[in-house]
Amino acid sequence: VDVETPWRYPNAGCMCGRAEPVLKLLEELLAGLGGDRDEFPEGYNDQGRLHEHLLELGERGDPLPCLVDSRCGIFQCLYEREPQWVLEACDAIVPR
């Protein structure tokens, strides 16, 4: 585990791996929502659910189902790493 990484949280939007372990992880995430679900509810916080699930596994002493790509060998999101937008007030009703 790389505790010196600046990346502190797993990214629920990007994962890769062998099909069976990834499917098992997704099934566990859905099972934690309660009921018989085969999809996340619209508007549900998938990032929060993944975070909670990993904490639950750690508290039980179970092995974690994934590794964090802390060296950004596969994924890296630089969106808004440095703000690049200039916002202007606009009275238009329809977006430009």
Side-chain angles (χ1 to χ4, degrees):
V1 175
D2 181 5
V3 295
E4 298 297 320
T5 180
W7 318 115
R8 299 184 53 188
Y9 304 102
N11 185 340
C14 297
M15 65 175 68
C16 68
R18 296 189 177 271
E20 287 184 23
V22 170
L23 178 60
K24 181 180 181 214
L25 172 60
L26 293 173
E27 289 172 341
E28 289 173 353
L29 292 171
L30 291 171
L33 297 176
D36 184 24
R37 295 189 180 273
D38 60 356
E39 63 183 41
F40 268 36
E42 186 174 338
Y44 193 82
N45 183 351
D46 60 336
Q47 185 70 38
R49 176 64 193 122
L50 175 62
H51 190 82
E52 290 171 1
H53 179 66
L54 296 177
L55 289 174
E56 291 164 2
L57 292 175
E59 289 170 356
R60 290 195 309 251
D62 293 346
L64 297 177
C66 57
L67 299 173
V68 174
D69 180 23
S70 62
R71 294 184 302 173
C72 302
I74 301 171
F75 302 112
Q76 183 171 18
C77 178
L78 296 177
Y79 179 73
E80 289 294 324
R81 174 79 173 120
E82 294 180 16
Q84 299 178 24
W85 298 95
V86 176
L87 300 178
E88 300 174 5
C90 179
D91 294 331
I93 297 174
V94 179
R96 293 183 280 156

